[in-house]
Amino acid sequence: MELRQLRYFVAVAEELHFGRAAGRVHISGPALSQQIIALERELGVELLVRDRRGVQLTQAGRSLLGDARRILSLADDAKHRLRRAAALSAAVRLGYVSWLPDDIQSLAGPAVALRIDEWVLPSHTQAERVAEGTLDIALAWVTAEHVKRRGLTAHLLRAEPLHAVAPGAGSAEPVAAQDLRVLVDADESAWSSWNRFAEGFAAHTGARIVEIDDGGVTGDAFYAHVRKIGAPVLASPKRHTAVIPPSLGRRPVAEPIPLWTWSLVHRQDDDRAGAGGVVEALLAVARGRGWLAPPAERWWVPAGDPHRGVLESAVDLR
């Protein structure tokens, strides 16, 4: 029985509505339902009765609710004490999704002990960990709405143009965005950020969405999808070790170029010198290496991207 499952259960028990509860705990409705089912299976009892009229607590559910609230209260108190203790330490915990500058330890400077978190998790999860205090900084893709709602600050570290993978040899000849296919995976818990980006890009450009359910947004499964589709497919920014097959090649995308924005995310109320020093050091590197400049050609980011204004200002200054 995990603390997050108890939080999910308490949210449903108090809202008596899976949709509202899902919004409250920042996960999708299907993922929330699966977690409640897993909790019921582990405990061996039914906690909630679901029907067309809504959600009701069973007797076992009412019994668990009080205990769950007390357990979560104790856990929150412990977390706050640990946060205060961690604030006294110089170590800065940084989480990431798939991309880090190769020399990030030296870039952060010798004055700060930078600890790279070993859990490589999706963007929305890493941003939540920053909000909850289990990370100090995350390098992730975020939306302006998520940043505002969770009391975060997001600095643009890199605007990464995405490319396509197509049948045939690689080429510098660009693929028109409208001729692309974009993969959308059914597993929202792992791919919600990519799905939101891909769906927005398809709606804006006319690219065709291909729905998958095997995690094939990246890796060998991605290449298998490209071969099966037989057309250029937009590649995600997810790094992986799979080698591109000789039957496929990389091509740039044009009209517009899709930009994936990597953000340095931290809590608005985190005023520690160590965390601020890491952010400033990495942003200085980004400026020096040209990571913040968008392409000269027409580009695209989703409407909810927190860095649209920064990118547009960079174009105006040219």
Side-chain angles (χ1 to χ4, degrees):
M1 184 166 57
E2 301 178 11
L3 284 177
R4 63 171 180 159
Q5 291 176 322
L6 291 180
R7 291 191 191 280
Y8 296 160
F9 166 69
V10 169
V12 178
E14 291 179 350
E15 299 289 344
L16 294 179
H17 189 281
F18 271 85
R20 291 193 298 269
R24 174 171 153 180
V25 296
H26 317 297
I27 65 171
S28 67
L32 175 60
S33 180
Q34 290 172 8
Q35 289 296 324
I36 296 298
I37 292 171
L39 178 60
E40 291 177 323
R41 186 181 298 119
E42 181 178 350
L43 296 177
V45 295
E46 187 179 40
L47 301 173
L48 302 165
V49 176
R50 312 160 182 81
D51 58 33
R52 294 181 179 178
R53 292 169 295 182
V55 180
Q56 297 295 325
L57 285 165
T58 64
Q59 183 175 349
R62 287 190 293 272
S63 176
L64 177 62
L65 181 58
D67 290 335
R69 285 169 170 159
R70 285 189 289 273
I71 292 170
L72 293 174
S73 178
L74 288 171
D76 287 340
D77 288 344
K79 181 173 68 176
H80 293 322
R81 287 194 297 272
L82 288 172
R83 278 187 183 179
R84 288 193 293 269
L88 301 176
S89 170
V92 176
R93 302 157 299 177
L94 184 145
Y96 69 105
V97 179
S98 68
W99 173 75
L100 279 177
D102 292 336
D103 47 354
I104 191 168
Q105 290 283 359
S106 61
L107 296 179
V112 177
L114 183 64
R115 190 178 79 200
I116 306 300
D117 190 79
E118 63 183 8
W119 293 102
V120 180
L121 298 169
S123 284
H124 65 281
T125 303
Q126 298 294 49
E128 281 300 307
R129 293 180 69 200
V130 173
E132 294 170 355
T134 56
L135 288 175
D136 300 310
I137 303 171
L139 211 172
W141 185 90
V142 293
T143 65
E145 185 274 333
H146 191 186
V147 166
K148 180 179 180 181
R149 172 165 46 83
R150 299 296 283 149
L152 301 173
T153 297
H155 306 273
L156 178 63
L157 185 68
R158 183 183 178 190
E160 179 181 358
L162 300 186
H163 65 274
V165 173
S171 168
E173 181 68 23
V175 179
Q178 65 181 7
D179 296 331
L180 287 174
R181 308 296 189 270
V182 292
L183 305 182
V184 171
D185 196 277
D187 185 1
E188 280 287 316
S189 63
W191 297 105
S192 64
S193 296
W194 170 254
N195 286 351
R196 181 166 183 168
F197 182 94
E199 289 167 350
F201 181 72
H204 180 79
T205 63
R208 289 176 54 185
I209 290 175
V210 178
E211 297 181 351
I212 61 174
D213 60 4
D214 59 358
V217 174
T218 187
D220 286 324
F222 171 74
Y223 296 136
H225 282 299
V226 178
R227 287 193 295 266
K228 180 179 179 181
I229 293 168
V233 180
L234 182 65
S236 81
K238 182 78 171 178
R239 271 67 178 174
H240 54 83
T241 57
V243 178
I244 188 168
S247 60
L248 304 176
R250 290 166 52 113
R251 293 179 60 183
V253 178
E255 294 299 321
I257 299 170
L259 292 184
W260 182 271
T261 55
W262 292 108
S263 296
L264 275 177
V265 182
H266 62 86
R267 294 182 298 280
Q268 288 181 359
D269 59 1
D270 189 352
D271 56 0
R272 292 173 301 146
V278 171
V279 170
E280 288 303 317
L282 293 179
L283 291 179
V285 171
R287 289 189 290 269
R289 296 185 178 181
W291 289 346
L292 308 182
E297 299 82 3
R298 188 162 69 94
W299 49 268
W300 174 89
V301 294
D305 192 289
H307 309 301
R308 174 182 289 273
V310 173
L311 294 168
E312 290 173 343
S313 296
V315 173
D316 294 339
L317 291 174
R318 286 177 178 158

